[in-house]
Amino acid sequence: MARALFEEARNFHRRMMFAEARAKYEEALALWEHPELRLYLGRVLRSIGLPVLAYDNLRLSLRWGPGSLDAEKEQEARTTLRALLEEELAAIEIRCDAPGATVLMDGKPWFVGPGTRRQMVTPGEHVLTARKDGYFTVAKPIFMVAGKEASGQLVLSADTVVARQRWPAWLPWATLGAGAAIAVMGGRLMWQADDLHGYAQERSVRECGRSCAPSPGFQYDASVNESWLAAGTLLAGGATVITATAMLFMNRPQIYRTEDRGGVKVEIRPAAAPDAAMVSTWLAF
């Protein structure tokens, strides 16, 4: 059955009916995995403008090693592979170490991390995407040129919501306590100043009558100074309490998202000549 399908495919191929030849080659391969079938299917796929599939089939035609194809066909497969790499294809190899992360290429699932995959692509822009619940999604375009290979790593960073305060939680409360203590001290000083002032007045009346002014030696001057000190202390305590109240308001937790530090770092280098001196360009996205 597979042999009959192969002959039908060869007949369509000779008549350049490539779509029909492809269908028959694939039917035959479903029944019989053979390197020569892979070679012929690769020829057809390249003819109809599917270089990625052509590359895959030509590579599979060589996987059994030397001798699986005759020398001429083996040389054809290797020559065509090199031509595809240099003129029609590019390669992308990406690593993602995040367990459970889904990696997509051009919107189609590619692999699930952790792991590394290599894929042949056509020249042009390709979009790499990596996503995982609880992490920022990475989505970056890479412009590929025929004959080049991009290799690099996708890095995801956690997407979390955290609360941050302007000052340590204890600081506004400590400031409020200090302000209250200063205000209490000011009140006590004011009480002492009033008491001293009253005593000075009584002594003044007792010693020189109501008609004379208090002398500097009396406690009167000390009571006036203490009154000023008490007033200043009360003002300082009140200002400190007001400042502490403002700090308590300003120190309410601020909710924000963590910064996205993910991305992809890609190295672009020649893909078709691994033995040649390579000049690499690092592209950081």
Side-chain angles (χ1 to χ4, degrees), residues 25-171:
Y25 282 134
E26 289 175 343
E27 285 184 54
L29 279 165
L31 299 172
W32 181 32
E33 182 65 46
H34 193 279
E36 198 165 329
L37 276 171
R38 290 290 181 187
L39 174 63
Y40 289 136
L41 179 57
R43 289 179 184 173
V44 168
L45 291 167
R46 190 184 186 193
S47 297
I48 61 178
L50 297 172
V52 175
L53 292 176
Y55 178 89
D56 290 340
N57 279 276
L58 290 169
R59 185 173 51 82
L60 288 172
S61 73
L62 298 170
R63 68 176 175 174
W64 286 277
S68 57
L69 292 169
D70 64 48
E72 184 179 346
K73 288 186 173 64
E74 182 177 336
Q75 182 59 39
E76 177 194 346
R78 295 186 185 281
T79 301
T80 306
L81 279 173
R82 179 173 289 273
L84 285 168
L85 279 171
E86 292 177 351
E87 301 167 11
E88 300 181 44
L89 294 175
I92 297 178
E93 183 177 283
I94 291 295
R95 185 175 93 246
C96 182
D97 294 331
T102 301
V103 180
L104 303 93
M105 182 185 293
D106 299 331
K108 298 178 181 179
W110 190 13
F111 67 95
V112 176
T116 302
R117 293 292 186 278
R118 187 175 189 270
Q119 177 68 44
M120 304 306 300
V121 297
T122 53
E125 186 176 83
H126 296 273
V127 179
L128 298 175
T129 306
R131 60 191 183 200
K132 180 182 178 181
D133 290 343
Y135 289 76
F136 288 100
T137 295
V138 173
K140 300 295 181 183
I142 299 178
F143 189 85
M144 297 303 301
V145 178
K148 299 295 183 179
E149 178 174 340
S151 62
Q153 180 179 9
L154 289 166
V155 179
L156 280 73
S157 60
D159 179 8
T160 55
V161 176
V162 297
R164 174 184 289 174
Q165 292 179 293
R166 189 184 299 267
W167 302 286
W170 60 267
L171 184 59

Side-chain angles (χ1 to χ4, degrees), residues 1-12 20-32 37:
M1 181 65 178
R3 174 63 67 177
L5 290 169
F6 175 62
E7 292 301 331
E8 286 184 62
R10 291 291 294 135
N11 185 45
F12 284 129
E20 293 81 357
R22 175 189 178 182
K24 292 299 179 180
Y25 282 134
E26 289 175 343
E27 285 184 54
L29 279 165
L31 299 172
W32 181 32
L37 276 171

